[in-house]
Amino acid sequence: MSRTVSELAQRLNHRNAKGRKIPALLLMTDAKRLPDPSAYIPRLPAGSAVIVRHFSDRQKEEIIKKIRLLCKKHKVKLLVSDSLHLTLKYRLDGVHFPEKTVRKIANCGSLKRYPKHLLFTAACHSERALHAAKRAGCHAALLSPIFPTQSHPGAKSLGSYQLTSLSHRSPLNLFALGGITQKTAQRISTCPISGFAGVRGLI
């Protein structure tokens, strides 16, 4: 019997996640495809996370206000993209940083001075970016795009072979992002990654 994306993610997380406890599934908002994740949150396994991204700070704040209690009710972590201010203001679970922000942090500082309970994730597209995220103090990286995806039509995808190679060398817990469906998740279910990230294919 084929396993769902969620089941595969939890098996991978149990097998490969290192260090602190991190989610197996990361549901990401998208300005066009998933501007409001409210309907999906109750369907996520407890311990999963939602990342609010692709919006202005004002829009992010509106979404956070709308889903914060819903996430708490269903034991889903809530992260916001590129805003320590909003994370601290609303006592969220962490921050997801774009690759360019991670490079800046790695070059001039570290996230280690912030509260230890916060989860820091980074968007990465290369091995160099993975090491920059490690220096910055991130706990996990979202490597993308693994497969062709509607979020970045026409973008060159890494594929399962390169994902496997990078995941063996990654200094961080690694999540596969981009084109994740039940079929593609099965294809990479033997990679030493810690779970999956995506917009809609996770559920």
Side-chain angles (χ1 to χ4, degrees):
M1 183 178 68
S2 60
R3 297 183 182 276
T4 65
V5 174
S6 175
E7 290 170 336
L8 288 170
Q10 292 178 76
R11 284 169 63 90
L12 285 166
N13 190 273
H14 179 74
R15 184 190 309 152
N16 302 315
K18 304 177 184 67
R20 61 183 293 158
K21 188 175 182 180
I22 59 172
L25 284 177
L26 302 174
L27 178 68
M28 311 184 78
T29 63
D30 183 273
K32 293 182 178 180
R33 297 170 59 205
L34 191 64
D36 183 356
S38 299
Y40 288 79
I41 292 170
R43 299 165 60 189
L44 290 169
S48 300
V50 171
I51 298 177
V52 178
R53 57 167 194 160
H54 282 181
F55 299 97
S56 67
D57 280 356
R58 181 184 60 80
Q59 291 170 317
K60 289 176 187 175
E61 191 164 11
E62 290 175 357
I63 296 171
I64 288 167
K65 289 178 180 178
K66 182 175 182 178
I67 68 172
R68 186 173 48 151
L69 293 181
L70 185 63
C71 286
K72 185 175 182 180
K73 176 182 177 180
H74 293 280
K75 299 181 180 179
V76 171
K77 295 182 182 298
L78 181 55
L79 286 70
V80 65
S81 174
D82 213 20
S83 181
L84 278 161
H85 167 70
L86 289 176
T87 297
L88 296 175
K89 179 178 179 179
Y90 289 99
R91 298 181 181 179
L92 306 184
D93 299 293
V95 187
H96 175 67
F97 293 102
E99 186 174 309
K100 63 180 180 180
T101 303
V102 167
R103 292 186 185 278
K104 291 179 182 178
I105 296 172
N107 289 334
C108 64
S110 172
L111 297 165
K112 294 180 180 178
R113 67 180 183 275
Y114 291 98
K116 292 183 178 181
H117 72 274
L118 292 179
L119 174 65
F120 296 122
T121 64
C124 294
H125 307 286
S126 66
E127 185 172 1
R128 183 179 179 183
L130 291 173
H131 287 281
K134 174 66 174 179
R135 293 197 307 274
C138 292
H139 305 108
L142 281 60
L143 187 66
S144 69
I146 306 304
F147 301 106
T149 172
Q150 295 179 37
S151 297
H152 297 86
K156 184 179 180 180
S157 55
L158 294 168
S160 55
Y161 177 81
Q162 196 165 355
L163 170 64
T164 301
S165 178
L166 286 172
S167 59
H168 279 292
R169 303 196 302 273
S170 175
L172 296 171
N173 289 293
L174 204 61
F175 289 82
L177 170 64
I180 301 300
T181 63
Q182 185 174 356
K183 184 178 179 179
T184 57
Q186 188 66 52
R187 285 172 56 186
I188 55 177
S189 61
T190 59
C191 293
I193 57 177
S194 299
F196 303 122
V199 179
R200 287 183 177 173
L202 304 183
I203 300 173

